[in-house]
Amino acid sequence: MITGVTVKHYLFCPAIVRIEELGFRERVTEAMQEGSEVDKEKVVNFLFPMLKAKEIIKKPIYKYKDLVGSPDFVLKFSYHYSPLDVKNTDRVGMDHKAQVLYYAYLMEKSGLVVKEGMLYYTSGKFIRLPYTDNERRYIERLIVKIREAREGRIKVIQPVRKCVNCGFFQYCRPKRVGKFYEV
């Protein structure tokens, strides 16, 4: 199964996808624990009046073939739906954006009309991401690359500083080459 977390992990480092495919799991860090303890209900209650959604659906699960995803919330508007993910960080990352667009893709494959994805950061940042043909094609290409990575058909080169803080470092055992690690 490819999940929203798989998408996020792939964008951090494609080697993680292969490591997970082999059955290894990430060590849980203090920051990850804090992120799971965020009161997401409070956040969505704060955002609800501002967004003018008709309904909020909490943690729905969407499936399509070997793809599955569960955004924190789905907002139902008059003529479309939008996934909303809450992040407990102030760092806006491409991995977060791709994750919420992946949820939009799954929702669309489930027959829903999706016009945008949304990210709310507990630091107060709110981001709306349009969901168009370009984003759909991006997610489809990303899914193909993730499948290749799961099969081990990748070569990864990462900066040392990125690898040493990775929760999969102990399983990956990359080879150091100067200021980089190679997998």
Side-chain angles (χ1 to χ4, degrees):
M1 289 294 228
I2 296 174
T3 68
V5 173
T6 308
V7 169
K8 197 170 124 183
H9 282 166
Y10 177 85
L11 287 169
F12 182 77
C13 177
I16 293 173
V17 174
R18 178 65 180 157
I19 292 166
E20 286 182 319
E21 183 69 15
L22 294 172
F24 296 99
R25 299 291 166 245
E26 183 176 22
R27 66 177 160 79
V28 178
T29 65
E30 193 175 309
M32 291 164 70
Q33 188 66 33
E34 286 175 16
S36 68
E37 293 171 2
V38 169
D39 189 351
K40 295 179 180 181
E41 289 290 326
K42 248 187 202 176
V43 169
V44 81
N45 288 339
F46 165 74
L47 289 174
F48 189 65
M50 178 180 82
L51 297 173
K52 297 182 172 109
K54 301 256 184 237
E55 183 184 345
I56 296 176
I57 305 160
K58 182 181 177 186
K59 289 304 275 179
I61 298 172
Y62 296 98
K63 294 180 182 179
Y64 176 73
K65 296 183 180 179
D66 67 334
L67 311 175
V68 66
S70 182
D72 292 327
F73 302 96
V74 168
L75 305 176
K76 180 180 179 185
F77 296 94
S78 294
Y79 302 104
H80 72 280
Y81 293 80
S82 295
L84 167 66
D85 238 19
V86 178
K87 302 297 183 186
N88 187 28
T89 181
D90 58 355
R91 181 194 62 83
V92 177
M94 188 57 208
D95 54 342
H96 299 157
K97 292 176 182 179
Q99 188 178 24
V100 83
L101 291 173
Y102 173 77
Y103 296 142
Y105 179 80
L106 287 176
M107 291 167 63
E108 180 183 65
K109 290 296 186 182
S110 298
L112 301 175
V113 174
V114 182
K115 296 197 178 210
E116 65 184 348
M118 300 176 188
L119 288 165
Y120 180 77
Y121 291 84
T122 55
S123 62
K125 293 178 189 167
F126 180 71
I127 298 173
R128 291 179 118 124
L129 300 163
Y131 181 71
T132 66
D133 287 340
N134 288 337
E135 286 76 20
R136 182 180 308 103
R137 284 191 300 272
Y138 168 74
I139 293 300
E140 288 171 342
R141 286 190 309 271
L142 192 57
I143 290 167
V144 168
K145 289 178 183 180
I146 288 170
R147 287 187 176 123
E148 290 171 356
R150 290 173 86 188
E151 294 169 7
R153 296 186 284 144
I154 55 165
K155 181 174 181 175
V156 179
I157 299 174
Q158 295 284 13
V160 168
R161 71 186 182 294
K162 190 172 186 181
C163 283
V164 295
N165 292 317
C166 177
F168 291 91
F169 186 80
Q170 63 186 359
Y171 309 120
C172 185
R173 302 279 183 191
K175 178 181 154 194
R176 187 166 181 162
V177 180
K179 295 181 180 182
F180 298 93
Y181 276 112
E182 250 180 50
V183 180

